[in-house]
Amino acid sequence: MRYMLLQNYGATESDCPPMTQWAPADIKAHIEFQQALNAELAELGELVDAQGLAGPEQARFVVSDGTSAPVITDGPYPESKELLAGYRLVDVESAQRAIEIAARASAAPGQNGVPIRQPIEVREVLSAPDPEL
């Protein structure tokens, strides 16, 4: 079973400030934690992919009707409370295992090594429906 573990910018259950306000050593510890978790999951054969995404200030929102030129708007907007920061795609035996991995990612070290308690959205990746049905 494949699951997407989604992380959003700025969403934490703690008083953790944005990473841009952390000391370099805290940023390094956080990144090393993420790399170690990815390496462990890869060794177990559970990691399909993991990527961080560019910041919201580089986001573009595209809307099209398929015939006219698309409307492209720069982000972020003040009303946009959550934008995707990164993801892990895992291939695991059960939803419970995906939740275990999400819990570890949520507890990544933040400022002064305190767990950031970032909500991780866990969503099963579904197959496309059979076009013959």
Side-chain angles (χ1 to χ4, degrees):
M1 302 172 74
R2 287 187 173 200
Y3 288 87
M4 289 291 292
L5 309 181
L6 305 167
Q7 298 171 247
N8 290 314
Y9 280 98
T12 66
E13 296 289 323
S14 67
D15 293 330
C16 183
M19 190 183 285
T20 55
Q21 297 175 17
W22 298 2
D26 292 335
I27 295 171
K28 183 176 187 286
H30 180 82
I31 292 170
E32 287 174 350
F33 171 90
Q34 300 292 351
Q35 291 171 333
L37 179 56
N38 289 344
E40 178 185 328
L41 296 173
E43 187 174 313
L44 293 169
E46 295 177 322
L47 183 67
V48 176
D49 190 27
Q51 300 293 327
L53 301 174
E57 67 281 354
Q58 295 182 36
R60 303 294 178 266
F61 298 87
V62 179
V63 177
S64 176
D65 62 9
T67 55
S68 12
V71 176
I72 303 166
T73 311
D74 295 344
Y77 302 102
E79 66 272 13
S80 297
K81 293 182 173 56
E82 296 183 1
L83 286 173
L84 194 61
Y87 67 89
R88 277 188 180 84
L89 177 59
V90 296
D91 191 350
V92 294
E93 292 296 320
S94 66
Q96 182 57 38
R97 177 61 180 145
I99 290 168
E100 289 170 8
I101 296 166
R104 289 187 57 201
S106 176
Q111 194 173 41
N112 300 315
V114 176
I116 59 175
R117 298 184 63 216
Q118 181 179 43
I120 306 295
E121 183 178 349
V122 178
R123 298 185 58 187
E124 185 174 0
V125 177
L126 302 176
S127 299
D130 185 344
E132 297 299 318
L133 295 179

